[in-house]
Amino acid sequence: LLTYAEASDLKFGVPPEGCSDDLATCIRAGIIPNPLRKELLEQQITIKKQEQKLSEINRESNDEIRDLLDKTARMDQAVLSLRNMIEMQREAVKTLVHDAKGCGREAERSLHEARRIGSGKN
């Protein structure tokens, strides 16, 4: 029926005299019988309600997408921050290992010097 409602050459009304009430015959005569008008309006109301529901679902989906994008951006930032922190800790560990090796070498030299002094060799 909705297809016929958009047709500019069709009008609501009473089928002409001698025309049967069957829809196909009425359409050929350019008339949509009045009883179908109510059905057509009901279909249009149903479609409008469904359209509104779909619009609301679409709005909610868009809101959810924006929320997810925001959460993803925050998580990406947190991951980047953790990576930077891990890199800084790696550098700190490298420095500590280097310093510890230097201290170990210095301790070895000091022990060697102490042994040399202890043994009385100059």
Side-chain angles (χ1 to χ4, degrees):
L1 286 180
L2 288 174
T3 306
Y4 301 122
E6 301 296 323
S8 61
D9 59 333
L10 296 177
K11 302 199 179 1
F12 288 102
V14 178
E17 196 67 34
C19 183
S20 72
D21 282 344
D22 120 78
L23 183 59
T25 305
C26 290
I27 297 295
R28 281 192 294 276
I31 299 288
I32 298 176
N34 280 328
L36 294 179
R37 183 178 206 163
K38 180 181 178 203
E39 188 178 333
L40 178 62
L41 292 173
E42 287 172 354
Q43 286 180 2
Q44 288 174 326
I45 289 169
T46 300
I47 289 171
K48 190 68 171 173
K49 286 179 182 177
Q50 290 173 344
E51 207 175 83
Q52 289 170 344
K53 285 179 187 176
L54 287 173
S55 291
E56 180 60 29
I57 289 169
N58 190 35
R59 265 192 304 280
E60 289 172 2
S61 293
N62 287 339
D63 290 345
E64 288 176 16
I65 288 170
R66 275 191 295 280
D67 288 346
L68 288 172
L69 288 173
D70 289 345
K71 287 177 183 177
T72 301
R74 286 194 301 271
M75 289 300 292
D76 286 348
Q77 190 60 44
V79 167
L80 181 61
S81 178
L82 285 172
R83 284 182 177 165
N84 289 339
M85 208 180 328
I86 289 169
E87 188 57 36
M88 287 172 32
Q89 289 175 348
R90 278 189 184 135
E91 291 302 316
V93 167
K94 283 181 186 176
T95 301
L96 288 172
V97 167
H98 181 269
D99 290 351
K101 285 180 181 178
C103 287
R105 285 191 294 272
E106 189 59 39
E108 281 294 320
R109 275 188 234 134
S110 295
L111 281 173
H112 180 72
E113 183 66 24
R115 286 186 194 123
R116 188 182 63 76
I117 292 173
S119 68
K121 295 180 183 175
N122 287 334

